Amino acid sequence: MFGQSSLGSTSTNRMNDFEVVAPPEDSVSALEFSPATVQQNFLIAGSWDSSVRCWEVEQTGKTVPKSMKTMGGPVLDVCWSDDGTKVFIASEKQVKIWDLASDQQMQVAAHEAPVKTCHWIKSSNYTCLMTGSWDKTLKFWDTRSPNPMLAINLPERCYCADVDYPMAVVGTAGRGLIIYSLENSPTEFKRQESPLKYQHRTISIFRDKKKAPTGYALGSIEGRVGIQYVNPINPKDNFTFKCHRSSGSTGFQDIYAVNDIAFHPIHGTLVTVGSDGTFSFWDKDARTKLKSSETMDQSITKCSFNANGQIFAYAVGYDWSKGHEYFNPTKKPQIFLRSCYEDLKPRTT
Amino acid sequence: MGRKKKKASKPWCWYCNREFDDEKILVQHQKAKHFKCHICHKKLYTGPGLSIHCMQVHKETVDKVPNSLPNRSNIEIEIFGMDGIPAEDLREHERQKNGGKSDSDDEEPAAKKKVEIPLTAPPPMMMPPNMMPPHMMGQYAQYGMMPHMAPMPPFLGPGGIPMMPTHMMPPRPLFPAAMAAATTSAAAAAHAVAAVAQQKPTFPAYSNATISAPPTTNNPNITAPTTSSASASGEAPKSQVVTSTSGVTSKIMHPPEDLSLEELKARRLPLKINSNNLAASSSNRSNNSTPNTSAVTAYSTGLTSATSTSSITTNAANAAATAAAISKAQEVATMAAVVQAQAQAQAQAHAQAQVQAQVQAQVQAQVAQAQAHAVAVQQQQQHQQQQQQQQQKQFEDLNRVVMLQRIQQAQAAAAAVSRPGATAAAAAVGMVKHLSQNTASM
């Protein structure tokens, strides 16, 4: 797509990728490209510095800052509406809608504790916003009304969630895992035993060959990803694999959290980004790794593919994995973009 | 099994008399136990080989085969698996075995039971413990086969899945893995290596085999599924350390608290993410404080259990337990005090910041006022000047008008008095001229 970056690899741009200009001042907590309904590529990043920033990403790799909004507190999640005209921002205990055309924002949802996830649901007979919070509830909002149209109790605090109509999946504290069906109205479909033994951190739904959601990838703090099918034909279909670990050849192995997982919209292959500062491309059907990146200067906190799968964005910044002592406010976060269509092609065998 | 068959088929080690299911395992055992250099741990193939190695490499003599029976320690005799065993010893062994079977089973050395961990016939799983990325996914085929082993108890023993073989003696311990774990870990490691021929379960628990086996606790700080020793206490370990069978120590890069990284970071921003509006802030603070209180309750339950067990032990142990309990309580108190102090410091800092902000606001307001005042004053002055100018102009105009009138009057008077006397006219003209000059000069 856009060719080689004209920048050489600097000390922090280890992969010689395109660096997004004017990044946030604190770690990126949410990173989303605009949906396919929008012709251009817009990138939204929510950050711990309470800002939400929007850039346009041009074909050449150049990023143009378009707009920025400052919230009352750290932003934990963002999502686009299906038509790409509005952005939902989860900041502290509220979710606000940001109309990009009018540059207006308005509150649309609220919880008793910080909202960790927000996802827009578009079905044939309804649209709504799904919000998951540390107050152990999952709420669904018709954005025109101040009260939720539906509230579901979770067994524990919501840590991660994903929506791909008609499926939604939520990972909670205490290794909880619940799958919801969104047809007609959101209902709990089933609870699954977590394939991972450690705290859930990120979850992402994948589709089958017919482009219907069929399972999810779950990442934990223990450098491991579980691939689970909602209805596995064969129990062997479910498996886990280890990732984001140092080699251990010296007798000591460091295990890092998987901070984010994203599936390529076309190829169906996936990427994991880790606390160790690397990203890796995987083919879950061939059960093989496709590529591993160099180690970045800081952890990679979030990643996203653009709508046509040409651009892979990843955000580098401190994720608190070593506690507050290792927080260095002078080390600024960065967001990088790379052309990824070829790298993520599945293994043919 | 009733009749005495000729059981030469079961391989056994000449050096220590142990029996093995398979000659391959026997060879591995010999290499690890008898032909291993005690200096550099290099595994040789034969006794003489070991002797030569030590002489050439370390300049040391080895006269006895390590870990061997006293009558079987001859290093010169070349044994490899079952090859090289002198016929006499073979027969003797047979006799002993058959004779021993009809006798009591107690003569079996405990070590033998431990060793006889017959490995089932799972597909070969040669999995090195630390997977290099390119090969990592190669084990999925093997992982895929793991479900077959799901029904087996996941004993993380030295390297085998213990099963009850049919020919074993009755007093075989129920948990050979546990017994094996009781022996030195070095021996276990050596056994793991020895038994690697058939299987090496790196993380047997971490396969989908244990998806069916629900996890025992909710505690994310559990280390390897069976090594619960690290997290036996109610308090989480400082760093989450997992030790695998192959001896690699792993550490999870995550703070020990049972909270997500976002929650941990949010705790450091007391003003923002925790208390925005008063109504919710109290509930939120209680949410945030629960981790601390749970830690405190963990300590207190730890204390009570300590005191309850002390009643059973001796007085000395009692005193020690209470002393430990006291120190723990002190620790908790200091921790609580530290947390409080921190909270106070933060509150003070916040208050100071507020005060500073207020002062700044006031100063700014004053400055703005002063500026406005100055501007107003300037405007007034300008206005006054304008007024003065206007007044002057008016005066001047008036003067001119008056002068012109006088000139006209004079001219009229001169014209009316044109006949009588040129001098008067001349004087009047002169006067008029003078007047007009004056007017012009004004």
Side-chain angles (χ1 to χ4, degrees), chain A residues 26 92 157 159 175 193 198-199 201 224 236 238 241-242 251-255 282 287-288 321, chain B residues 136-137 140 144 203 206 208 215 220 222 249-251 253 255 259-263 265 268 272-273:
Chain A
D26 199 353
E92 292 198 277
R157 294 153 281 172
Y159 276 175
R175 300 165 52 246
E193 185 76 47
Y198 287 83
Q199 187 191 108
R201 184 129 181 84
R224 196 178 294 266
K236 281 191 269 177
N238 295 340
F241 61 91
K242 294 183 270 194
F252 291 93
Q253 181 181 64
D254 292 325
I255 299 177
W282 310 85
R287 303 202 180 184
T288 173
S321 51
Chain B
M136 197 188 304
M137 289 275 194
Y140 299 133
F203 296 98
Y206 292 147
N208 32 349
I222 59 171
T249 310
S250 315
K251 183 175 158 210
M253 290 298 163
L259 294 171
S260 65
L261 296 178
E262 287 76 24
E263 284 169 301
K265 185 164 178 177
R268 302 289 298 183
K272 306 227 167 184
I273 206 160

Side-chain angles (χ1 to χ4, degrees), chain B residues 237-252:
Chain B
K238 257 294 156 194
S239 63
Q240 305 188 32
V241 178
V242 179
T243 309
S244 78
T245 50
S246 48
V248 173
T249 310
S250 315
K251 183 175 158 210
I252 297 178

Side-chain angles (χ1 to χ4, degrees), chain A residues 26-27 48 50 72-74 76 92-94 111-114 116 134-135 157 159 174-175 193-195 197-199 201 221-222 224 228 235-243 245 247-249 251-257 259 275 282-284 286-289 292 318-324 327, chain B residues 129-134 136-141 143-145 147-148 202-203 205-208 210-211 213-215 217-224 240 242 247-255 257-266 268-269 271-277 280-281 283-284 287:
Chain A
D26 199 353
S27 302
W48 280 87
S50 308
L76 289 184
E92 292 198 277
K93 300 189 187 120
Q94 305 165 341
H111 276 264
E112 306 286 311
K116 181 65 175 63
W134 291 341
D135 70 358
R157 294 153 281 172
Y159 276 175
R175 300 165 52 246
E193 185 76 47
S194 172
K197 300 282 176 283
Y198 287 83
Q199 187 191 108
R201 184 129 181 84
I221 59 170
E222 188 244 349
R224 196 178 294 266
Q228 290 272 100
K236 281 191 269 177
D237 291 343
N238 295 340
F239 66 96
T240 71
F241 61 91
K242 294 183 270 194
C243 49
R245 299 172 172 218
S247 75
S249 52
F252 291 93
Q253 181 181 64
D254 292 325
I255 299 177
Y256 293 86
N259 282 332
S275 209
W282 310 85
D283 181 341
K284 69 172 200 323
R287 303 202 180 184
T288 173
K289 181 188 283 205
S292 239
Y318 184 53
D319 60 359
W320 226 250
S321 51
K322 292 186 182 165
H324 67 96
F327 175 50
Chain B
N130 311 306
M131 302 302 292
M132 286 296 123
M136 197 188 304
M137 289 275 194
Q139 48 177 315
Y140 299 133
Y143 272 150
M145 300 193 207
H148 295 314
T202 30
F203 296 98
Y206 292 147
S207 65
N208 32 349
T210 51
I211 287 174
T217 94
N218 230 8
N219 184 356
N221 295 327
I222 59 171
T223 54
Q240 305 188 32
V242 179
V248 173
T249 310
S250 315
K251 183 175 158 210
I252 297 178
M253 290 298 163
H254 194 275
E257 294 98 329
D258 180 18
L259 294 171
S260 65
L261 296 178
E262 287 76 24
E263 284 169 301
L264 290 169
K265 185 164 178 177
R268 302 289 298 183
L269 310 162
L271 308 171
K272 306 227 167 184
I273 206 160
N274 287 339
S275 50
N276 204 11
N277 75 60
S281 66
S283 64
N284 208 26
N287 275 347

Side-chain angles (χ1 to χ4, degrees), chain B residues 299-300 302-303 306-307 318-336:
Chain B
Y299 260 126
S300 54
L303 290 178
T307 47
N318 208 353
T322 42
I326 290 168
S327 64
K328 266 195 182 169
Q330 281 177 343
E331 258 185 53
V332 169
T334 47
M335 263 178 60

Side-chain angles (χ1 to χ4, degrees), chain A residues 70-240:
Chain A
T70 305
M71 300 284 123
V75 174
L76 289 184
D77 202 8
V78 296
C79 74
W80 288 83
S81 62
D82 59 283
D83 59 2
T85 60
K86 301 174 192 37
V87 173
F88 295 95
I89 304 159
S91 163
E92 292 198 277
K93 300 189 187 120
Q94 305 165 341
V95 180
K96 296 206 169 132
I97 186 173
W98 177 16
D99 184 318
L100 296 168
S102 66
D103 204 36
Q104 295 295 312
Q105 54 167 312
M106 205 176 77
Q107 180 177 333
V108 293
H111 276 264
E112 306 286 311
V115 179
K116 181 65 175 63
T117 66
C118 63
H119 290 85
W120 181 248
I121 298 173
K122 165 113 173 77
S123 90
S124 47
N125 51 342
Y126 72 96
T127 57
C128 70
L129 178 72
M130 180 180 98
T131 56
S133 163
W134 291 341
D135 70 358
K136 307 186 189 181
T137 65
L138 191 66
K139 292 188 178 168
F140 299 82
W141 308 80
D142 176 335
T143 54
R144 296 161 296 195
S145 164
N147 293 317
M149 47 190 245
L150 182 57
I152 297 178
N153 284 329
L154 297 171
E156 250 286 13
R157 294 153 281 172
C158 175
Y159 276 175
C160 50
D162 196 14
V163 164
D164 191 3
Y165 188 83
M167 178 175 152
V169 66
V170 172
T172 69
R175 300 165 52 246
L177 198 42
I178 309 128
I179 303 168
Y180 298 87
S181 161
L182 300 173
E183 282 177 42
N184 301 319
S185 165
T187 43
E188 183 174 316
F189 179 68
K190 68 153 95 163
R191 299 203 174 185
Q192 283 192 329
E193 185 76 47
S194 172
L196 304 178
K197 300 282 176 283
Y198 287 83
Q199 187 191 108
H200 294 167
R201 184 129 181 84
T202 178
I203 196 164
S204 185
I205 294 175
F206 60 81
R207 297 175 164 186
D208 58 19
K209 295 280 183 289
K210 305 198 191 90
K211 299 286 180 191
T214 185
Y216 55 87
L218 175 70
S220 76
I221 59 170
E222 188 244 349
R224 196 178 294 266
V225 171
I227 301 286
Q228 290 272 100
Y229 288 82
V230 174
N231 291 312
I233 302 163
N234 194 332
K236 281 191 269 177
D237 291 343
N238 295 340
F239 66 96
T240 71

Side-chain angles (χ1 to χ4, degrees), chain B residues 71-104:
Chain B
N71 63 328
R72 300 275 174 88
S73 66
N74 188 352
I75 201 158
E76 314 266 295
I77 190 157
E78 178 151 339
I79 306 272
F80 184 74
M82 291 294 280
D83 294 334
I85 299 181
E88 197 195 82
D89 290 337
L90 260 176
R91 275 179 266 129
E92 199 196 315
H93 186 264
E94 288 302 304
R95 261 184 280 124
Q96 278 188 346
K97 236 186 20 175
N98 295 336
K101 253 211 184 112
S102 54
D103 290 346
S104 161

